[in-house]
């Protein structure tokens, strides 16, 4: 029963981590990190992401333009692009490592210590991936709030607001953190497999004569 529960926790943790990694990938390339509030012109909507800025017009549709240079981005978006790449890479590495340490896989059954270490390493990688996803979206949200309530900017100037990508990034980071916690909890509850009855009996029969004679020489 404990084995089934542990395997279920590993499966849930890996599934949550996979979902978080997919959401972090979507967040990285989604152009809705910031939405421009245009109260005077409701016919168009401006959005900005890590890679491009888009304008959605009712008559023309969506038109997007990639940023000409990495240095043309604001500081928070430049660092966010690097951190999201880091999150995606760590999440993929965590999936590969933790997937090899699942108890439901028959490979490496005799090396429980190695599989436990792989699960712990995978959980740590998911933690780092989750933090790498939460940091940029939280920073962009903080800067957006600061700029929105900046009293030095006239009220008639449009203000940037939260985009959908920020919410996806928060969910991605949360799923990665929870998935990593479940994997580490399942790994720490894993115990070494006891020796089988046949193996224990064989060791007893082999060691018995040596212990009685007080020597390990087979010729005595």
């Amino acid at each position: 029963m404990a084995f089934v529960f542990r395997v279920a926790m590993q499966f849930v943790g890996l599934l949550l981590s996979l979902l978080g990694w997919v959401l972090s990938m979507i967040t990285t390339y989604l152009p809705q990190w910031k939405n421009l509030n245009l109260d005077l012109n409701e016919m168009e909507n401006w959005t900005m992401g890590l890679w491009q800025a888009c304008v959605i017009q009712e008559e023309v549709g969506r038109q997007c333009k990639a940023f000409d240079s990495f240095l043309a981005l604001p500081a928070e978006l430049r660092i966010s692009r690097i951190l999201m790449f880091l999150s995606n890479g760590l999440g993929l590495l965590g999936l590969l490592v933790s997937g090899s340490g699942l108890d439901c896989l028959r490979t490496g059954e005799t090396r429980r210590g190695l599989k436990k270490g792989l699960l712990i390493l995978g959980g740590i990688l998911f933690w780092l991936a989750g933090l790498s996803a939460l940091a940029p979206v939280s920073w962009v949200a903080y800067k957006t709030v600061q700029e929105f309530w900046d009293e030095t900017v006239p009220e008639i100037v449009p203000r940037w607001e939260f985009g959908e990508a920020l919410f996806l990034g928060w969910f991605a980071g949360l799923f990665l953190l929870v998935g990593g916690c479940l994997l580490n909890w399942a790994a720490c509850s894993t115990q070494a497999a006891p020796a089988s009855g046949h193996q224990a009996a064989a060791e007893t029969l082999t060691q018995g004569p040596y212990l009685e004679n007080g020597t390990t020489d087979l010729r005595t």
Side-chain angles (χ1 to χ4, degrees):
M1 187 64 181
F3 175 79
V4 176
F5 183 73
R6 187 170 64 247
V7 171
M9 288 296 100
Q10 294 176 4
F11 179 76
V12 173
L14 190 62
L15 184 62
L16 287 176
S17 302
L18 175 61
L19 179 59
W21 178 72
V22 172
L23 290 179
S24 70
M25 291 288 294
I26 296 175
T27 303
T28 303
Y29 297 99
L30 200 65
Q32 285 88 14
W33 278 64
K34 289 184 176 183
N35 294 336
L36 191 60
N37 182 19
L38 295 174
D39 294 332
L40 300 179
N41 187 4
E42 298 180 355
M43 303 296 293
E44 65 180 24
N45 182 26
W46 287 81
T47 63
M48 180 186 294
L50 301 180
W51 300 93
Q52 58 188 356
C54 300
V55 56
I56 304 174
Q57 297 178 341
E58 187 173 347
E59 297 179 356
V60 181
R62 166 178 282 185
Q63 293 180 335
C64 297
K65 181 182 179 181
F67 295 113
D68 297 331
S69 173
F70 176 76
L71 298 177
L73 286 169
E76 66 269 17
L77 293 184
R78 289 199 303 268
I79 299 178
S80 295
R81 185 188 291 188
I82 297 174
L83 289 177
M84 290 306 298
F85 269 138
L86 180 63
S87 176
N88 296 337
L90 291 174
L92 179 60
L93 185 60
L95 289 173
L96 297 176
V97 171
S98 59
S100 303
L102 295 177
D103 288 340
C104 59
L105 297 180
R106 287 195 166 275
T107 56
E109 286 185 348
T110 59
R111 306 180 67 179
R112 291 291 182 86
L114 177 60
K115 298 186 73 171
K116 178 180 179 179
L118 290 175
L119 279 180
I120 294 176
L121 178 59
I124 294 175
L125 290 173
F126 286 137
W127 284 350
L128 296 176
L131 294 176
S132 299
L134 289 175
V137 294
S138 300
W139 188 20
V140 171
Y142 172 73
K143 295 292 291 185
T144 303
V145 171
Q146 272 193 329
E147 295 172 357
F148 186 89
W149 297 109
D150 191 356
E151 297 180 355
T152 61
V153 179
E155 295 184 359
I156 60 174
V157 177
R159 311 294 179 97
W160 289 101
E161 298 180 350
F162 291 171
E164 292 81 359
L166 298 184
F167 299 99
L168 287 180
W170 280 319
F171 279 112
L174 179 62
F175 288 152
L176 286 169
L177 288 177
V178 174
C181 289
L182 290 177
L183 286 177
N184 278 271
W185 179 84
C188 293
S189 63
T190 302
Q191 298 179 355
S196 62
H198 296 287
Q199 183 179 358
E203 292 180 354
T204 303
L205 292 176
T206 303
Q207 296 176 1
Y210 302 155
L211 295 175
E212 292 177 359
N213 297 332
T215 180
T216 57
D217 192 355
L218 296 177
R219 293 174 298 178
T220 57

